[in-house]
Amino acid sequence: MAETTEYAATFNLVDTDGDGRISATELVALMKALGDEVTDEQAAEAVARLDSSGDGLISLEEFAAYLSTDRAGGAG
Ligand SMILES: [Ca+2]
C-alpha cells in the first residue's frame, strides 16, 4: 500500500484543483497536455473504468492501482 506514494506526484499534477480526486474534466486536461484529445464522454468512461469505489472520481489508490496493473504488462 506504500506504493501509492510513488504515484502521488503524478496524481497531484493531474488533480489540478487539489481535492484529492481526479475528475473527468481533469482527465480531459491531462490528455490534452499529453497531446491526446479526448471528449468529455471518453474521459467519463475512463474514469468509470478506474473508479472502483463508484463515486465517479479517481482516488490516488485507484490511480496507483491502474498504473501498476496497466504498466506491469501482466508480469508478476
Ligand atoms: Ca480534482
Side-chain angles (χ1 to χ4, degrees):
M1 57 177 80
E3 283 178 14
T4 53
T5 57
E6 200 178 311
Y7 302 105
T10 309
F11 184 89
N12 290 334
L13 284 178
V14 183
D15 178 23
T16 49
D17 66 3
D19 67 352
R21 298 285 188 276
I22 294 174
S23 64
T25 307
E26 286 166 339
L27 202 58
V28 169
L30 168 69
M31 296 311 284
K32 221 174 221 177
L34 294 175
D36 204 0
E37 298 274 336
V38 298
T39 64
D40 288 348
E41 263 187 15
Q42 288 172 320
E45 275 176 28
V47 168
R49 276 182 150 188
L50 273 61
D51 174 26
S52 52
S53 66
D55 63 357
L57 298 163
I58 302 168
S59 69
L60 174 57
E61 280 185 4
E62 289 162 349
F63 185 72
Y66 167 73
L67 289 183
S68 54
T69 54
D70 193 60
R71 304 263 168 116

